[in-house]
């Protein structure tokens, strides 16, 4: 892995902000470059642990494929469309 | 008027010493006089709670003591963290983005507590989206410590803890993803329960980190904590992570005559990571209480403890960035520009961690180290019934003291995150004071082992 100081540069921050659909000011770009760099440096300490033979944990309940019985219940959410719709401004620029 | 616990309130109702309306008015008076100073509540439901109080009085006058059999929390005032959906009552998540959001339904926990007869007094302040350890990240201003306005109350369930400590209500709900119940409970000197992951339904509670979020509560004593869990715990068909494991009668298990044959562990790493050594010292002194009750207390080691925080700050921001993606300005609230600084920081961090090229190095690595942390606990709980540790690395600090350095705030969670990563129950119980400020003792148990924690917590409580 490359040095973090290089990884979390303003360019990376701008690219990440675009992926996250966040509009950051130049001041924010500068601030987050520094702060996220510190956090990434901190979390990098995990690299020193050997985990080649370790299986990942994504959840702790051990439950799999939880289904309910295929019966309608009284509490079923009403999916009838609302009687009126509304318009919003354009959300995403092209 | 003693209104700080469920039992004394209900004894008063049963003996006609006071009415529900009188108790609710008393709480509303406390809120009115102290909330401007503490900023613990964002919404106060004065009218509705008075109406519900009169209804409860009516039920009691009609049914007498029997009313409490079907409604175990009848007439008990309650405050919800403003992350819990409450039908028709504003739910902001502490963020300006949802300032005007009115939920169309109640969270499962909210409806279960309502069903049990509890009366919602209001909604508590919190770090926006539950992101924080101090309460300072709220878009509506920080919650102030009930004992000293210049100090933080701890977070993220800041207003819930401060409300119970200040006597606004005997009980309050909270969420704990990395310490957000235990930390403010310890700072404010109240009892805070983080149940096992999956024990209490997450349905209707605004999600932070879906693999770590745990739904719990605050109270002034351990018995109330047990009573509440009996109501909130159990399978919910709206949350597929709640297993069909029967809910024990927690309050019935409280009376432990002695702890003979029980072995408890002091995890050495927790005392090393604790920065104010006086806290660790106080916790160790209090552990003698369990020895006197017949338990054996031994030092144990959980070698991967120090990696829990870096794992947490990979997994949680990753899940945060995904959960907050739904706030696109179309379905709920304002647009993404209205996220506060900490929410943006976590979304950015999570998005970076999950982006192409970094997933294996960060997210996959963190999931693997999470396994090592889980295995540490599995091994240790074959040797001991529960662990005794500090809750916080230091005492409550000044508002603004750590604001410019996010990492120093993240480190506040260092002793609480391991239980979240492993899905274990943990209870914060007041253990005494240092410099006049409360100190908490943390009891961590095996998965779904809440009964043991209540039993131990009550022994500690009666001996502090």
């Amino acid at each position: 892995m490359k040095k973090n100081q290089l990884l979390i540069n303003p360019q990376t921050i701008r690219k990440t902000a675009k992926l996250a659909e966040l509009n950051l000011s130049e001041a924010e770009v500068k601030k987050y470059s520094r702060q996220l760099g510190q956090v990434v440096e901190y979390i990098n300490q995990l690299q020193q642990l050997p985990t080649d033979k370790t299986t990942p944990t994504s959840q702790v309940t051990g439950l799999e494929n939880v289904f309910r019985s295929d019966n309608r219940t009284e509490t079923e959410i009403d999916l009838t469309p609302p009687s009126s719709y509304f318009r919003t401004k354009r959300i995403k620029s092209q | 008027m003693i209104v700080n616990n469920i039992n004394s309130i209900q004894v008063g109702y049963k003996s006609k010493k006071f009415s529900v309306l009188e108790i609710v008015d008393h709480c509303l008076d406390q809120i009115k006089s102290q909330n401007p100073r503490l900023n613990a509540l964002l919404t106060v439901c004065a009218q509705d709670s008075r109406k519900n109080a009169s209804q409860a009085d009516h039920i009691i006058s009609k049914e007498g003591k029997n009313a409490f059999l079907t409604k175990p929390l009848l007439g008990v005032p309650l405050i919800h963290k403003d992350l819990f959906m409450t039908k028709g009552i504003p739910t902001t998540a502490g963020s300006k983005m949802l300032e005007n959001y009115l939920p169309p339904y109640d969270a499962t926990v909210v409806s279960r507590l309502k069903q049990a007869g509890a009366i919602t007094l209001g909604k508590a302040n919190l770090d926006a989206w539950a992101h924080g350890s101090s309460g300072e990240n709220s878009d509506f201003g920080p919650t102030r410590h009930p004992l000293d306005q210049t100090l933080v109350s701890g977070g993220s369930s800041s207003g819930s803890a401060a409300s119970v400590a200040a006597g606004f209500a005997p009980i309050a709900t909270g969420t704990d993803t990395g310490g957000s119940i235990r930390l403010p409970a310890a700072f404010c000197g109240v009892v805070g329960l983080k149940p096992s992951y999956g024990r209490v339904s997450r349905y209707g509670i605004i999600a932070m980190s879906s693999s770590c979020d745990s739904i719990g509560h605050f109270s002034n004593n351990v018995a109330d904590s047990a009573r509440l869990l009996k109501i909130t715990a159990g399978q919910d068909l709206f949350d597929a992570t709640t297993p069909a494991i029967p809910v024990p009668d927690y309050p019935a298990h409280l009376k432990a005559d002695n702890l003979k044959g029980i072995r408890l562990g002091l995890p050495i790493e927790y005392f090393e990571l604790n920065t104010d050594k006086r806290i660790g010292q106080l916790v160790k002194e209090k552990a003698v209480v369990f020895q006197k009750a017949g338990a054996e207390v031994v030092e144990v080691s959980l070698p991967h403890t120090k990696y829990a925080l870096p794992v947490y700050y990979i997994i949680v921001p990753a899940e945060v960035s995904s959960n907050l993606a739904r706030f696109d300005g179309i379905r709920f609230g304002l647009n993404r520009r209205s996220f506060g600084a900490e929410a943006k920081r976590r979304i950015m961090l999570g998005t970076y961690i999950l982006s192409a090229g970094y997933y294996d190095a960060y997210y996959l690595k963190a999931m693997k180290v999470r396994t090592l942390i889980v295995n540490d606990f599995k091994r240790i709980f074959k040797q001991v019934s529960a662990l005794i540790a500090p809750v916080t690395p230091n005492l409550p600090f000044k508002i603004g003291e750590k604001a410019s350095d996010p990492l120093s705030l993240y480190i506040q969670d260092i002793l609480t995150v391991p239980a979240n990563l492993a899905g274990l129950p943990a209870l914060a119980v007041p253990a005494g004071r240092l410099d006049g400020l409360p100190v908490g003792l943390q009891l961590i148990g095996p998965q779904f082992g809440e009964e043991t924690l209540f039993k131990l917590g009550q022994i500690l409580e009666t001996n502090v």
Side-chain angles (χ1 to χ4, degrees):
Chain A
M1 188 173 302
K2 284 180 250 171
K3 276 251 179 226
N4 310 304
Q5 284 82 344
L6 297 173
L7 285 175
I8 310 290
N9 56 31
Q11 223 173 329
T12 311
I13 292 289
R14 278 188 212 103
K15 185 186 155 212
T16 309
K18 195 162 175 250
L19 290 172
E21 194 67 30
L22 290 174
N23 278 305
L24 300 184
S25 68
E26 268 315 297
E28 282 177 313
V29 169
K30 217 173 138 188
K31 182 175 80 176
Y32 290 140
S33 303
R34 181 174 59 79
Q35 291 180 340
L36 295 195
Q38 284 171 354
V39 176
V40 168
E41 192 183 325
Y42 179 74
I43 61 183
N44 263 339
Q45 62 177 292
L46 295 184
Q47 307 306 333
Q48 57 188 261
L49 268 177
T51 50
D52 293 350
K53 289 180 182 139
T54 313
T55 49
T57 295
S58 56
Q59 54 112 321
V60 291
T61 60
L63 296 172
E64 277 177 39
N65 299 336
V66 178
F67 301 117
R68 67 166 170 82
S69 58
D70 191 17
N71 298 321
R72 280 182 66 104
T73 61
E74 283 173 37
T75 53
E76 207 96 70
I77 295 166
D78 185 6
L79 293 175
T80 331
S83 53
S84 59
Y85 292 91
F86 56 89
R87 291 179 77 99
T88 67
K89 283 183 197 157
R90 186 178 205 102
I91 306 287
K92 197 175 187 326
S93 51
Q94 280 175 315
Chain B
M1 198 151 29
I2 302 165
V3 293
N4 73 354
N5 67 78
I6 299 171
N7 189 50
S8 61
I9 289 177
Q10 291 193 334
V11 166
Y13 292 161
K14 286 175 193 168
S15 62
K16 310 262 181 238
K17 209 167 135 194
F18 40 69
S19 69
V20 179
L21 189 58
E22 281 173 314
I23 290 295
V24 165
D25 277 341
H26 172 80
C27 291
L28 291 172
D29 284 347
Q30 291 290 318
I31 292 168
K32 208 174 165 187
S33 68
Q34 291 191 64
N35 196 50
R37 179 172 67 89
L38 299 180
N39 197 28
L41 296 187
L42 298 176
T43 303
V44 182
C45 314
Q47 245 179 333
D48 277 351
S49 59
R50 295 193 81 242
K51 199 181 85 194
N52 292 332
S54 300
Q55 274 172 6
D57 278 326
H58 182 68
I59 294 174
I60 295 169
S61 70
K62 221 172 63 183
E63 297 176 29
K65 288 177 184 172
N66 288 339
F68 297 91
L69 298 176
T70 47
K71 293 195 176 297
L73 295 179
L74 187 61
V76 177
L78 161 79
I79 284 161
H80 285 298
K81 186 178 189 177
D82 210 15
L83 204 61
F84 289 58
M85 303 266 268
T86 42
K87 189 176 179 178
I89 303 171
T91 298
T92 66
S95 171
K96 291 268 186 197
M97 180 182 261
L98 296 181
E99 196 167 7
N100 299 311
Y101 177 65
L102 282 180
Y105 64 92
D106 280 331
T108 297
V109 169
V110 171
S111 61
R112 283 186 183 180
L113 291 169
K114 209 187 257 181
Q115 197 61 39
I119 295 171
T120 304
L121 292 181
K123 305 291 295 288
N125 200 357
L126 68 154
D127 285 297
W129 311 101
H131 300 168
S133 313
S134 66
E136 293 168 284
N137 289 334
S138 168
D139 290 353
F140 303 101
T143 305
R144 295 173 182 277
H145 196 287
L147 295 176
D148 181 345
Q149 288 175 62
T150 65
L151 300 178
V152 301
S153 56
S156 67
S157 312
S158 55
S160 302
S163 291
V164 171
F168 292 2
I171 50 174
T173 55
T175 60
D176 190 314
T177 303
S180 285
I181 288 173
R182 288 162 286 160
L183 210 137
F187 275 5
C188 291
V190 296
V191 175
L193 172 71
K194 174 229 173 286
S196 306
Y197 179 85
R199 183 74 288 191
V200 179
S201 167
R202 293 175 294 118
Y203 178 73
I205 295 162
I206 296 166
M208 176 181 168
S209 164
S210 302
S211 79
C212 294
D213 291 348
S214 173
I215 314 308
H217 45 256
F218 298 86
S219 57
N220 281 302
N221 65 33
V222 174
D224 282 0
S225 197
R227 286 174 86 147
L228 280 177
L229 187 63
K230 197 188 164 191
I231 293 160
T232 57
Q235 193 181 26
D236 177 18
L237 296 177
F238 292 137
D239 179 355
T241 61
T242 53
I245 295 172
V247 177
D249 187 2
Y250 297 113
H253 288 89
L254 278 174
K255 290 184 191 85
D257 25 11
N258 68 64
L259 296 175
K260 266 214 174 82
I262 287 185
R263 187 187 288 164
L264 303 170
L266 294 167
I268 48 174
E269 291 81 6
Y270 284 66
F271 292 88
E272 283 163 11
L273 292 167
N274 164 226
T275 38
D276 185 340
K277 294 297 170 200
R278 298 174 303 163
I279 292 178
Q281 195 52 42
L282 184 69
V283 166
K284 278 187 179 167
E285 281 165 23
K286 293 297 165 189
V288 175
V289 166
F290 303 117
Q291 279 174 315
K292 281 187 182 152
E296 186 190 350
V297 179
V298 294
E299 284 199 337
V300 295
S301 172
L302 296 149
H304 296 96
T305 302
K306 71 166 175 166
Y307 298 109
L309 198 68
V311 167
Y312 180 85
Y313 276 99
I314 292 172
I315 287 174
V316 169
E319 294 185 9
V320 160
S321 72
S322 164
N323 273 324
L324 293 188
R326 81 191 64 179
F327 294 96
D328 51 10
I330 302 175
R331 290 165 290 177
F332 321 94
L334 306 174
N335 66 36
R336 290 174 76 78
R337 282 173 208 271
S338 45
F339 274 126
E342 183 60 24
K344 283 186 193 166
R345 191 150 42 230
R346 295 202 190 192
I347 292 169
M348 289 289 292
L349 186 57
T351 306
Y352 172 75
I353 283 163
L354 292 176
S355 60
Y358 300 114
Y359 176 87
D360 282 2
Y362 293 118
Y363 194 67
L364 186 64
K365 183 78 185 182
M367 289 204 294
K368 286 180 168 185
V369 181
R370 187 176 187 175
T371 304
L372 299 175
I373 291 161
V374 170
N375 290 345
D376 270 2
F377 281 116
K378 278 189 181 156
R379 183 178 52 78
I380 227 67
F381 283 126
K382 284 181 185 147
Q383 300 163 27
V384 300
S385 303
L387 297 166
I388 305 163
V391 182
T392 59
N394 43 255
L395 292 171
F397 46 89
K398 295 270 180 207
I399 290 174
E401 187 185 314
K402 299 178 195 288
S404 61
D405 182 3
L407 192 58
S408 75
L409 260 179
Y410 292 175
I411 287 169
Q412 289 296 307
D413 297 335
I414 200 153
L415 306 175
T416 45
V417 295
N420 296 83
L421 293 173
L424 305 175
L427 185 70
V429 188
R433 289 192 176 204
L434 284 170
D435 301 340
L437 293 168
V439 172
L441 180 147
Q442 179 174 213
L443 296 160
I444 306 170
Q447 203 172 23
F448 303 114
E450 283 85 354
E451 290 154 280
T452 310
L453 304 187
F454 290 137
K455 201 180 286 183
L456 295 169
Q458 206 179 40
I459 288 174
L460 177 71
E461 186 175 81
T462 46
N463 287 287
V464 164

